Amino acid sequence: MFILPTGQRRWPCMDTSVAGLKELTCVRQFQVLQRSLTELDVRLRVVRPLTDDEQSIVHRTLVSGLGYPFQIQIHYVDSIGRSPSGKFEDYRCDIVADRSVDPPEGVDEHTPRYVSEGPSLTNVSG
């Protein structure tokens, strides 16, 4: 589950994201990591580097699937590791938020703001 700057949480739309990334035949494996409220790192194990058009597909697919215009950085890797339990995670959020400050569903006007402090978030709403 990813956290938007508004504090809302979103599951990646698996059908959209996976289908969009799988149309890129040069991609053998991918992993999307949320490092901050506005940034995603995309790890790709590829046959060859992506073209500009293919990079645009990655961006459009993730923005569409998550519903937020994240800044996306692509990293080419030789391998993508598994979690300590041996599970492979296509999507991983490395941000921890305090659930007690979540805004009510559908409320945008007084949504708490968060700042990243290492692996956690701090509510800075007044």
Side-chain angles (χ1 to χ4, degrees):
M1 184 176 299
F2 289 115
I3 303 170
L4 301 183
T6 61
Q8 292 178 309
R9 288 170 172 72
R10 296 269 172 90
W11 286 103
C13 181
M14 299 299 274
D15 292 341
T16 302
S17 297
V18 172
L21 294 176
K22 283 191 174 179
E23 84 177 50
L24 303 174
T25 57
C26 63
V27 175
R28 296 292 177 238
Q29 188 177 29
F30 71 91
Q31 184 178 55
V32 180
L33 304 147
Q34 184 178 16
R35 297 286 185 200
S36 78
L37 291 174
T38 59
E39 298 173 321
L40 300 177
D41 284 345
V42 179
R43 295 179 181 170
L44 298 176
R45 191 171 63 86
V46 296
V47 174
R48 60 165 173 75
L50 302 180
T51 65
D52 288 344
D53 286 344
E54 291 167 333
Q55 288 181 31
S56 292
I57 290 170
V58 170
H59 187 270
R60 278 193 317 268
T61 297
L62 293 172
V63 166
S64 171
L66 293 169
Y68 182 80
F70 285 98
Q71 295 174 24
I72 298 171
Q73 290 200 8
I74 295 175
H75 304 275
Y76 298 103
V77 297
D78 293 328
S79 64
I80 298 175
R82 295 182 178 271
S83 69
S85 67
K87 189 175 186 181
F88 178 75
E89 299 173 297
D90 291 328
Y91 301 92
R92 190 177 85 205
C93 178
D94 289 343
I95 297 174
V96 178
D98 180 356
R99 294 186 67 90
S100 66
V101 294
D102 282 349
E105 187 70 29
V107 174
D108 292 326
E109 192 172 323
H110 301 288
T111 301
R113 296 172 305 157
Y114 296 87
V115 294
S116 182
E117 290 185 349
S120 64
L121 296 178
T122 301
N123 181 354
V124 294
S125 297

